Amino acid sequence: MLPDLDVKHMMTGGPTLKETRIISSSYGSSSEGIIEAEPYRAGSLKNTQSGPVVITDDISKNIALEKLEQVKKWSISTYKCTRQVLSEKLGRGSKTVDLELESQIEILRETKKKYENLLRLARQMATQFYQVVQTQRQLGDAFGELSVKSPELHEEFGYNAETQKLLCKNGETLLGAINFFIASVNTLVNKTIEDTLIAVKHYENARIEYDAYRTDLEELNLGPRDAVTIPKIEQSQQQFQIHKEKFDKLRGSVSVKLKFLDENKIKVMHNQLLLFHNAVSAYFAGNQQQLEQVLKQFHIKLKAPGSDGPSWLEEQ
């Protein structure tokens, strides 16, 4: 049993729990299991705490500054472009014009309008002709019913019933050709041509940006050159070069798209106009065999008779 003095000394003179630090060492070392005491230092456990990593204020400030810089650049660019557009409308600003390309773009816009009108009329024809075919079907059924119930006019009603049924069948075949024509022209107008016009829109926006930065550089070059203006001129020159390269790239891209579009338009419309002509001619000539041959030539499949709606095309 320990003496009271020793116990008291241990209670009062020894290190407290907060002041005790356990030093771990590798297994088998001579100091294994040794407990050393040293004075408590505030913050000594700071680096040993575990938990989620917190983004420092510096990183947050950098992100905020980057976003602020992006907004600043966007605002400056928007201001320059708006000023350029207004000056062009007022006849004060100069505008870069590629006469050949602008002529092709204008022709494309006019072509789109004309094809949209053609598409509207073809749809109108299909809707109206569908009603005619439906009426022919009903009329043929009425003639057939009267042929049975009117023995004295059995043959006369029967002839008319057969005629209307044949016209109805040929009408359904013609509708298939018309709707195939409509679907092809619709794809050409609302997808192929529209995609090209979207590229034209990007090109026109790039042209405005190019002219805006070109004008800005020209104005700076007309002013004095000193320690303040020279850095601005150099920065303006860099921005001008960036937008010039973008403008030239989009101009070349639009030229290529217009060329391929024109080739594709001629090919598509050649086939569709041939289809439309042959189908309409065969129908009104009463040539059922030729009418069916037209559908086979263009791989057109009809829906089963009695289907609802004016379209007789199978879903592709």
Side-chain angles (χ1 to χ4, degrees):
M1 186 174 182
L2 295 173
D4 294 342
L5 181 60
D6 295 337
V7 174
K8 182 179 180 181
H9 175 74
M10 293 174 64
M11 295 289 292
T12 59
T16 62
L17 180 61
K18 293 191 296 181
E19 298 172 334
T20 304
R21 180 166 64 100
I22 298 177
I23 300 178
S24 62
S25 60
S26 59
Y27 178 79
S29 66
S30 59
S31 59
E32 181 182 1
I34 297 176
I35 299 177
E36 292 183 354
E38 67 178 28
Y40 171 78
R41 297 184 180 87
S44 61
L45 298 178
K46 183 177 181 180
N47 295 331
T48 62
Q49 294 178 352
S50 61
V53 177
V54 179
I55 299 177
T56 63
D57 292 340
D58 291 340
I59 298 178
S60 299
K61 289 180 180 178
N62 290 336
I63 295 175
L65 289 174
E66 289 178 2
K67 291 183 178 180
L68 183 61
E69 187 65 23
Q70 291 175 358
V71 172
K72 182 180 177 181
K73 290 180 179 179
W74 176 83
S75 300
I76 294 174
S77 178
T78 302
Y79 165 73
K80 291 180 184 295
C81 293
T82 303
R83 185 183 64 173
Q84 177 66 26
V85 171
L86 290 175
S87 65
E88 288 177 7
K89 289 184 177 180
L90 295 174
R92 298 175 181 174
S94 60
K95 175 182 177 181
T96 302
V97 179
D98 186 327
L99 294 177
E100 182 179 357
L101 186 60
E102 293 294 329
S103 176
Q104 293 175 354
I105 292 173
E106 187 62 27
I107 291 173
L108 176 62
R109 289 195 169 109
E110 288 297 323
T111 300
K112 185 173 186 287
K113 291 180 181 179
K114 293 177 181 178
Y115 277 33
E116 285 174 339
N117 183 56
L118 177 66
L119 191 59
R120 179 185 63 82
L121 293 173
R123 283 170 171 164
Q124 183 177 340
M125 177 181 179
T127 301
Q128 293 173 350
F129 193 71
Y130 172 76
Q131 298 299 329
V132 172
V133 171
Q134 295 294 71
T135 302
Q136 287 175 335
R137 177 182 290 108
Q138 295 171 4
L139 190 59
D141 293 340
F143 280 142
E145 183 178 355
L146 287 171
S147 175
V148 175
K149 295 183 178 181
S150 304
E152 66 282 5
L153 296 172
H154 171 73
E155 291 186 1
E156 289 83 351
F157 277 125
Y159 293 150
N160 280 277
E162 291 299 323
T163 299
Q164 293 302 319
K165 288 180 181 179
L166 179 61
L167 289 174
C168 180
K169 181 180 179 181
N170 291 344
E172 291 172 351
T173 306
L174 178 60
L175 271 174
I178 294 175
N179 282 311
F180 187 81
F181 173 84
I182 291 172
S184 299
V185 176
N186 180 66
T187 300
L188 176 64
V189 172
N190 293 314
K191 189 176 188 327
T192 310
I193 294 180
E194 186 61 27
D195 288 347
T196 304
L197 287 176
I198 290 174
V200 169
K201 185 64 176 178
H202 293 325
Y203 155 73
E204 291 174 339
N205 290 337
R207 197 277 306 166
I208 293 174
E209 291 178 347
Y210 164 74
D211 279 337
Y213 281 91
R214 176 183 56 79
T215 302
D216 188 55
L217 179 60
E218 290 173 353
E219 291 176 353
L220 288 173
N221 284 326
L222 291 175
R225 289 177 174 268
D226 51 35
V228 177
T229 59
I230 289 178
K232 292 182 179 179
I233 293 174
E234 292 177 350
Q235 183 179 8
S236 180
Q237 179 67 42
Q238 292 175 357
Q239 291 298 318
F240 166 74
Q241 190 62 33
I242 291 173
H243 288 87
K244 182 180 184 301
E245 292 175 358
K246 178 182 178 181
F247 170 62
D248 290 339
K249 181 179 179 181
L250 288 175
R251 178 168 56 182
S253 176
V254 168
S255 297
V256 173
K257 284 180 177 293
L258 287 172
K259 179 181 179 181
F260 283 125
L261 172 62
D262 190 57
E263 294 175 355
N264 185 46
K265 180 192 67 178
I266 293 174
K267 180 179 179 181
V268 169
M269 292 308 299
H270 171 79
N271 291 333
Q272 295 307 312
L273 291 172
L274 184 64
L275 160 70
F276 193 89
H277 173 269
N278 291 345
V280 172
S281 298
Y283 172 80
F284 285 101
N287 192 334
Q288 181 182 358
Q289 183 178 0
Q290 182 181 351
L291 185 59
E292 293 176 351
Q293 186 62 34
V294 171
L295 268 65
K296 291 180 180 179
Q297 179 183 354
F298 290 90
H299 309 288
I300 301 173
K301 296 181 180 180
L302 300 180
K303 288 184 177 181
S307 299
D308 294 332
S311 174
W312 295 90
L313 290 175
E314 289 287 356
E315 294 295 336
Q316 298 298 322

